[in-house]
Amino acid sequence: MSYRELRRSDLLDALFALEREEDINRVPRYFSYEHFYVVYCKFWELDSDHDFSLDRNDLAHYANCALTYQIVERIFEEAPRKFSSGVPGKMGYEDFVWFILSEEDKTTDTAMEYWFRCADLDCDGVITPSEMWHFYEEQMKRLEGLSQEPVLFEDVLCQLHDMLQPAAEGCYTLADVRRTRPQSSLLFNSLFNLHKFMAYENRDPFALRAEQLGEEGQVLSDWDRFARGEYLRLAVEEEPEDMQVDTADEMWGAAAGRSAAGSKMLLEEADADEEELAAVGLGAAAGAAAAADFVAAASDAAGATAMDAAS
């Protein structure tokens, strides 16, 4: 990195933030272990033969085969950037880093330039409807294969035109894409990524707004949200089985404890009921004795009255 590049970047700001923050993962720029872990695990999952390089078939399986074969082919033609692997037809780890950062956050300048070069087939600096149809045709066939109602290309083109508002009708430049971010990411998702295109068509704006906010209310980038979700997923998958067994034992023990406590409570209630019944029985016996005494006294009084009358 040159001195000029250093001054234009926010690397120094990130370094100063590290001095003030004890937890390095709270500074997501450049130094986050979570981000590195996600990128490396994603690469390792795709590298089926573990030769530390990816071929076309490996990359086509990214995100459950979300990408079209047309865009995978353009990437391996090295249209967005030259591979650093040194092996023809192979994508190295550094090349994959460029790819995944551009794929998961299409709002950055680097990502926009990456995908714009892919879509610009004739490299004239303009994306035309004919070039867009070259990629979208495969999207329509994939939608039909999933029994989804395909969105007509004319409708997509009209929507993108209203969203991007290019200076020249039917000619989309890199300046148009940068000017209309983050909405411009739809241009690339509609052409290359089936899952994100379908998610946009079925989007919930209120849920989307909630996802954009972090734990402390700060707005997260697309990459930050993706990395956080993937890190949590990987952490669950990597959890040892004995820890899962211990967790199950703890849950069973807690349930057994609640059951024992409930049984004890029932026994205590039963004892209380018996005492109450005994008290009621004693009260009834005392009442009966008092009634007998009253009847006897009444009889004596009646007898005495009768004797006085006879006299």
Side-chain angles (χ1 to χ4, degrees):
M1 175 181 290
S2 64
Y3 177 71
R4 181 181 179 183
E5 292 173 337
L6 177 63
R7 294 198 58 179
R8 293 177 59 184
S9 70
D10 58 349
L11 178 59
L12 295 179
D13 294 335
L15 291 173
F16 292 145
L18 286 176
E19 293 182 354
R20 299 188 299 269
E21 182 60 55
E22 295 181 359
D23 185 2
I24 190 173
N25 286 315
R26 297 181 65 87
V27 183
R29 291 177 296 176
Y30 310 118
F31 302 102
S32 173
Y33 171 76
E34 293 182 1
H35 292 186
F36 160 75
Y37 186 76
V38 168
V39 174
Y40 185 83
C41 288
K42 280 291 185 181
F43 182 84
W44 188 254
E45 289 175 355
L46 294 175
D47 187 12
S48 56
D49 55 2
H50 300 309
D51 62 348
F52 216 67
S53 63
L54 305 178
D55 57 20
R56 288 171 170 82
N57 185 60
D58 293 332
L59 190 63
H61 286 82
Y62 179 81
N64 295 323
C65 302
L67 302 175
T68 63
Y69 288 106
Q70 294 287 357
I71 195 60
V72 171
E73 187 64 29
R74 283 291 290 170
I75 293 173
F76 276 84
E77 290 175 359
E78 304 182 22
R81 65 183 305 273
K82 297 295 182 181
F83 286 169
S84 61
S85 63
V87 181
K90 292 286 187 177
M91 170 186 281
Y93 179 74
E94 180 182 345
D95 306 315
F96 180 76
V97 172
W98 281 84
F99 161 77
I100 191 173
L101 292 177
S102 300
E103 167 57 26
E104 298 304 336
D105 190 354
K106 295 183 174 70
T107 62
T108 64
D109 289 337
T110 301
M112 291 179 180
E113 186 175 353
Y114 187 98
W115 296 116
F116 189 90
R117 289 179 178 178
C118 288
D120 186 12
L121 297 176
D122 54 8
C123 301
D124 63 348
V126 176
I127 300 177
T128 61
S130 61
E131 292 171 325
M132 296 167 64
W133 172 248
H134 172 79
F135 295 101
Y136 190 74
E137 183 179 12
E138 184 179 348
Q139 290 281 61
M140 288 191 62
K141 293 179 179 178
R142 298 182 72 188
L143 285 171
E144 294 173 352
L146 295 174
S147 300
Q148 297 286 334
E149 182 179 358
V151 184
L152 297 178
F153 177 67
E154 292 77 8
D155 296 337
V156 174
L157 195 62
C158 182
Q159 184 178 10
L160 290 175
H161 184 275
D162 294 340
M163 186 178 295
L164 302 181
Q165 298 181 353
E169 185 174 355
C171 298
Y172 302 90
T173 65
L174 184 58
D176 296 328
V177 175
R178 288 175 173 172
R179 174 172 48 82
T180 55
R181 77 178 84 191
Q183 293 82 4
S184 57
S185 59
L186 176 62
L187 169 64
F188 304 122
N189 288 333
S190 61
L191 301 180
F192 311 142
N193 193 306
L194 180 63
H195 297 169
K196 291 184 178 181
F197 178 53
M198 293 177 62
Y200 178 84
E201 290 295 321
N202 300 285
R203 68 193 182 281
D204 182 354
F206 298 101
L208 181 62
R209 177 60 181 171
E211 291 177 358
Q212 291 176 347
L213 297 179
E215 298 177 354
E216 299 179 356
Q218 75 275 21
V219 178
L220 299 178
S221 66
D222 292 345
W223 167 253
D224 290 333
R225 291 197 304 275
F226 167 79
R228 173 56 58 87
E230 284 298 308
Y231 181 80
L232 294 177
R233 179 186 67 83
L234 292 169
V236 171
E237 292 180 355
E238 293 295 330
E239 184 177 353
E241 295 184 359
D242 55 348
M243 293 182 62
Q244 297 179 2
V245 172
D246 292 341
T247 303
D249 291 341
E250 291 175 359
M251 294 175 62
W252 182 89
R258 290 192 297 269
S259 178
S263 300
K264 182 179 180 181
M265 183 179 298
L266 291 175
L267 291 174
E268 292 175 351
E269 292 178 355
D271 293 339
D273 292 340
E274 291 180 358
E275 294 176 357
E276 184 177 355
L277 290 174
V280 171
L282 292 175
D293 293 340
F294 176 79
V295 171
S299 299
D300 294 340
T305 302
M307 290 177 64
D308 294 337
S311 301

